[in-house]
Every structure is written in structure tokens, then in C-alpha cells.
């Protein structure tokens, strides 16, 4: 099924990541997919990031940062980025339940108007191993 925004065909899935594992994201890990959102000017585009794994936790004194990168082609650049989520675990061992929404971020109107592509970059301060996974997607908000 195709999705149209402001008369432009938009990526039919709008999915950045589906159960993407954060294994070794210390140098920054790109989302599995780059999303084409077609520069829809009349709709608000919202990024959603949720826990995909049943045993998700960031180690004590470690952090997770999620940024969105924008571009005019399918290789968005690091110079066009916004940090959309930062978390540092200072409380010790804690788990986040599967399906928990970590963040929602409305893409600024100027970025929607000027760029057609985006991807997410996940960065952790320590290798989180193969147990931590995230889902991320764009919703079109009327």
C-alpha cells in the first residue's frame, strides 16, 4: 500500500528499524533503513522509537543517544542532524518492557520542507550486546 503526502509518494513502510539490535553501537549505528518521506509540507511527521526486545536495558553509568540525520538523497549526512533522545542509566540495573515508547519527535517543518530522506543513528557509550533492540518508524500526523 502506498502512502501519499502532499501529492508525493512516500516510503510505503516509513520504518527506520524493526527489532534492530544495538550490538556494538559505540561508534554510532545507522538505522537499518533510510526513510523517504517526500518532503510533505502540509503534514507533521513524527518519529517514534520503541523497545523491541524483551530484555532491554542500558548498563549502569552508560548511555544511549538517538539522532536523526536528513538529506536530499538516500545517504543523509552527519552535518544535518538533530538529537532526538538521550538517556543515561544512573540507577543501576533496570529493564524497560517490550513495547515501551522511548521517544516521539516531530520533525521540524523546515527539515520536512527541505529534505526528502532521513535515517536514525543509535550511539551507546558501551557495547550493549545482542539483547537490546529497537523499533523506529515515522507516523504522519494530520
Amino acid at each position: 500500500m502506498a502512502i501519499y503526502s502532499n501529492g508525493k509518494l512516500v516510503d510505503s513502510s516509513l520504518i527506520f528499524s524493526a527489532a534492530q539490535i544495538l550490538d556494538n553501537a559505540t561508534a554510532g549505528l545507522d538505522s537499518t533503513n533510510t526513510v523517504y518521506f517526500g518532503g510533505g509540507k502540509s503534514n507533521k511527521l513524527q518519529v517514534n522509537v520503541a523497545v523491541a526486545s524483551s530484555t532491554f536495558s542500558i548498563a549502569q553509568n552508560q548511555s544511549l543517544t538517538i539522532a536523526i540525520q536528513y538529506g536530499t538523497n538516500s545517504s543523509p549526512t552527519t552535518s544535518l542532524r538533530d538529537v532526538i533522545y538521550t538517556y543515561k542509566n544512573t540507577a543501576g540495573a533496570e529493564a524497560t518492557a517490550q513495547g515501551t515508547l522511548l521517544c516521539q519527535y516531530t520533525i521540524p517543518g523546515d527539515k520536512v520542507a527541505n529534505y526528502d530522506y532521513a535515517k536514525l543513528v543509535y550511539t551507546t557509550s558501551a557495547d550493549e550486546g545482542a539483547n537490546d533492540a529497537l523499533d523506529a518508524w515515522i507516523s504522519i500526523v494530520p
Side-chain angles (χ1 to χ4, degrees), residues 55-119:
T55 58
F56 186 90
S57 66
I58 300 299
Q60 185 174 6
N61 297 320
Q62 302 304 321
S63 61
L64 166 66
T65 301
I66 303 171
I68 184 170
Q69 294 181 335
Y70 308 98
T72 56
N73 59 45
S74 60
S75 297
T77 65
T78 57
S79 61
L80 297 167
R81 67 186 271 155
D82 295 327
V83 173
I84 65 172
Y85 179 78
T86 301
Y87 171 75
K88 181 166 184 176
N89 181 357
T90 58
E94 61 182 57
T96 304
Q98 186 174 15
T100 299
L101 191 63
L102 291 182
C103 69
Q104 290 184 307
Y105 176 79
T106 301
I107 298 175
D110 64 321
K111 300 286 186 356
V112 174
N114 293 313
Y115 303 102
D116 290 337
Y117 295 87
K119 70 179 175 184

